[in-house]
Amino acid sequence: MVAEKARVLNMVQAIHEALDLALARDPRVLVFGEDVGRLGGVFRATEGLQAKYGEARVFDTPLAESGILGLAIGLAMGGMRPVAEIQFAGFLYPALDQILSHLGRWRHRSRGRVGLPVVVRAPYGGGVHTPEQHADSPEALLCHTPGVKVVIPASPERAKGLLLAAVEDPDPVFFLEAIKLYRGSRAEVPEGHYTLPLGRARVVREGRHATLIGYGGMVEVMLEAAEVAAREGVEVLVVDLETLVPLDEDTLLEAVRETGRAVVVYEAMRTGGFGAEVAARIAEGAIDHLQAPVVRVAGYDAPYPPFSAIEHHYRPSARRVLAALRRVLTH
Amino acid sequence: MKLKPVAYLSKGDFPLGEGEALALYRAMRRARFFDEKAVTLQRQGRLGVYPPFTGQEAAQVGLALALGEGDWVVPSYRESALLLARGLPIHTLLLYWRAHPAGWRFPEGVRAVNPYIPIATQIPQAVGLALAGRYRGEGWVVAVAIGDGGTSEGDFHEGLNFAAVFRAPVVFLVQNNGYAISVPKEKQMRVDYIARRAEGYGMPGVVVDGNDAAAVYLEARKAVERARKGEGPTLLEALTYRLAPHTTSDDPSRYRTREEEEAWRAQDPILRLRRALEARGLWDEGKEGELLAELEAEFTQELALADAAPEPRPEEIVEHVYAEMGPDQRRAWEALGRGLHLEEAW
């Protein structure tokens, strides 16, 4: 169901609209976290929602991430649909016990009796000169947790439809929002309620010489690189994975088979990052089509640098993506 | 402020009605019967690792019987007595400790969730479950039980603070059995009573003689009533002792003395209530014999039910990970179902 009218919104506005609609549609939906009430969230994604829906449905919690995740789990057990905000994805670490030991497991542990329709929203990623820990990309930790889904939108209209789908999903969904896209990404967003399916990757640019694969904040970086490559006559296919778990392997492998060359781009540290999983899947499923090794462009095996002057060297750029493309094209 | 454990039976008081007293006794005796059988089954290799609770029946049963039908219990792994007293069928509990999938889905009518293995993680979840009851207008109370060791975990603090802030209808029961596996209370904390911590969160803290079924039951009932009236959570500390090892894999002789165990054995909560009942002519050897025969017959029947559960299928490994299987679970389901995983292993 897609409403006809569309306006240009940034990603924060699109997410705000999705939360507003979710609260309006289903009385079981609750929005909570640190500073989401009166302040409206540090990025203003929940601005005005407490005034509109009351303190019972949109509320501030004490500053305690494990408590927030535990509260969300209990609320979902009791039949509610909690949408928790963790102020930065790098602050999820105190809650990892709740996530790994419980959020992902309750359905399995109870053999289907207790399902947890929880959404955890958290901003992630760098490029906007935040303090230490604020730019972490911990998606691989989450993806390595059976029982949860991990969704990372790359644009405002995708964010709105995917967030509404996440709220309606019967399982726990981590919804990671690239901080750089909050105000940096603008697009036409349909009015009203619509959902986009979880678990599908999408081809955002067609091409036949090489395939770029990434998600979230890296999609615009990949598109920028593809644009530059196009000027030199190199046609690059770009895939936005969008949902990391469950992964749409069919679309991924199909895209790699079409070009025979693949570069995976992600801004977390390289070792054990989600791009390693993507490379492994390509090796398992499309090796016969490969004309070059799969190359990763990622952060370095170091904490995300809190030093703003050199941060841009850590976060993959279009230049680094182009260098990787050159490697796979000249192999 | 001086805290003093609430006690009745040890002082010769008997504040219970006949029906309540007998219900407490029967449920405690039934739980002990289960615990002894479970340890035997484990020794025979017919149950997995099992954490016995013998000695803590008054704390768990006292809490369970203080609850209403619509209330929930959120147990840790040592709360089998709490689960039995809440109505979890014996065969389900046996299958649970056999790690058989059929024992991991508790029947819909039983308002109890599966035991938690990680320590104290259930505390904030219990708070969420309690708030859900408020949102839904069902007003259920959540009773959550934990040991003294669990009070050192951060989740204990976060959960109690959340409960106080949101005035959640929760009763927190700490069974202070003196040991976190082998580490004695003196090496875990620098307070005399854990209930003292309640003041720091902004909720009442009560200490009870945890081997006194009347004390636990009556104080738990007050806490449940408080919660139901919207007055918020209570921290209840029951001073007790696990006469048994931490689990069937543990050897308590390495960290505590026979003298200490004997001293606590003399305060056995079941014997204590039984003597009080006998002194009032409410119980005797004959009734005890009848009860034990009844329990034996029930257990035999329930064990047969557990034994009759079909062998779990390998593909159940990937069942119930998500409401709907994703492509990766589906692939594994098919491979496991066709025995392909065995071929893959060369």
Side-chain angles (χ1 to χ4, degrees), chain B residues 3-16 58 193 206-219 222 236-239 267 272 276:
Chain B
L3 281 176
K4 207 167 145 245
V6 178
Y8 297 107
L9 302 179
S10 59
K11 298 194 295 184
D13 295 342
F14 195 79
L16 300 167
Y193 293 118
V206 181
V207 191
V208 296
D209 179 336
N211 285 12
D212 185 329
V216 181
Y217 169 70
L218 292 173
E219 289 305 320
K222 276 190 226 164
L236 195 60
E237 177 183 9
L239 304 175
Q267 299 182 48
R272 190 184 272 177

Side-chain angles (χ1 to χ4, degrees), chain A residues 56 59 64 66-67 70 73-75 77-78 80 97-98 102 106-113 147-148 171 245 281, chain B residues 72 101 104-108 110 112 114 116 121 124-125 128-129 135-136 155 158 316-317 319-320 322-323 328:
Chain A
F59 59 91
S66 192
I73 291 169
L75 282 163
M77 271 180 177
M80 305 304 286
D97 195 5
Q98 290 291 344
H102 299 288
W106 257 114
R107 183 181 295 284
H108 194 255
R109 151 186 307 149
S110 66
R111 307 310 294 160
R113 182 178 168 189
V148 304
D171 288 309
V245 178
R281 299 246 184 177
Chain B
W72 282 90
W104 286 56
R105 186 184 173 99
F106 286 6
E108 296 293 336
V110 179
N114 301 38
Y116 288 65
T121 49
Q125 297 182 26
L129 180 58
Y135 280 110
R136 294 169 52 129
D155 274 348
E158 294 191 21
E316 286 182 71
I317 290 169
E319 205 180 9
H320 301 303
Y322 297 97
D328 291 311

Side-chain angles (χ1 to χ4, degrees), chain B residues 133-207:
Chain B
R134 186 195 288 167
Y135 280 110
R136 294 169 52 129
E138 298 195 31
W140 59 58
V141 173
V142 176
V144 53
I146 189 174
D148 48 295
T151 66
S152 300
E153 290 277 3
D155 274 348
F156 178 77
H157 166 74
E158 294 191 21
L160 264 73
N161 188 45
F162 272 52
V165 167
F166 297 120
R167 289 176 83 79
V170 186
V171 179
F172 299 101
L173 173 72
V174 177
Q175 297 160 88
N176 185 349
N177 64 21
Y179 289 89
I181 303 188
S182 71
V183 180
K185 182 187 166 279
E186 299 71 48
K187 290 193 174 158
Q188 299 181 62
M189 62 191 79
R190 289 282 178 182
V191 282
D192 51 356
Y193 293 118
I194 294 162
R196 191 176 293 290
R197 301 203 194 279
E199 196 185 341
Y201 300 113
M203 69 177 78
V206 181
V207 191

Side-chain angles (χ1 to χ4, degrees), chain A residues 68-204:
Chain A
I68 292 171
L69 262 294
L71 191 80
I73 291 169
L75 282 163
M77 271 180 177
M80 305 304 286
R81 289 189 167 259
V83 181
E85 178 176 306
I86 295 295
Q87 214 155 64
F88 291 89
F91 299 172
L92 277 169
Y93 310 144
L96 281 182
D97 195 5
Q98 290 291 344
I99 294 165
L100 306 177
S101 301
H102 299 288
L103 182 66
R105 279 184 206 229
W106 257 114
R107 183 181 295 284
H108 194 255
R109 151 186 307 149
S110 66
R111 307 310 294 160
R113 182 178 168 189
V114 179
L116 299 176
V118 172
V119 175
V120 182
R121 292 181 41 245
Y124 85 98
V128 290
H129 309 318
T130 50
E132 203 184 355
Q133 272 91 20
H134 290 63
D136 284 21
S137 299
E139 67 273 14
L141 289 175
L142 305 171
C143 290
H144 199 62
T145 306
V148 304
K149 298 180 179 179
V150 179
V151 177
I152 308 185
S155 69
E157 83 283 7
R158 303 303 297 177
K160 182 178 168 184
L162 289 166
L163 183 51
L164 281 165
V167 173
E168 290 162 30
D169 196 271
D171 288 309
V173 180
F174 280 93
F175 197 82
L176 301 186
E177 301 157 6
I179 299 171
K180 199 168 190 319
L181 299 184
Y182 270 155
R183 291 176 208 288
S185 164
R186 296 175 65 79
E188 283 200 355
V189 177
E191 272 185 55
H193 176 275
Y194 66 98
T195 58
L196 297 169
L198 307 184
R200 303 251 182 93
R202 60 190 187 118
V203 172
V204 291

Side-chain angles (χ1 to χ4, degrees), chain A residues 16 19-20 23 31 35-41 43-55 57-59:
Chain A
H16 178 274
L19 292 172
D20 192 350
L23 284 158
V31 171
D35 303 307
V36 304
R38 268 168 90 174
L39 181 68
F43 292 102
R44 305 290 180 268
T46 56
E47 190 154 44
L49 294 178
Q50 187 176 68
K52 190 165 174 187
Y53 296 98
E55 284 188 38
R57 298 195 58 207
V58 180
F59 59 91

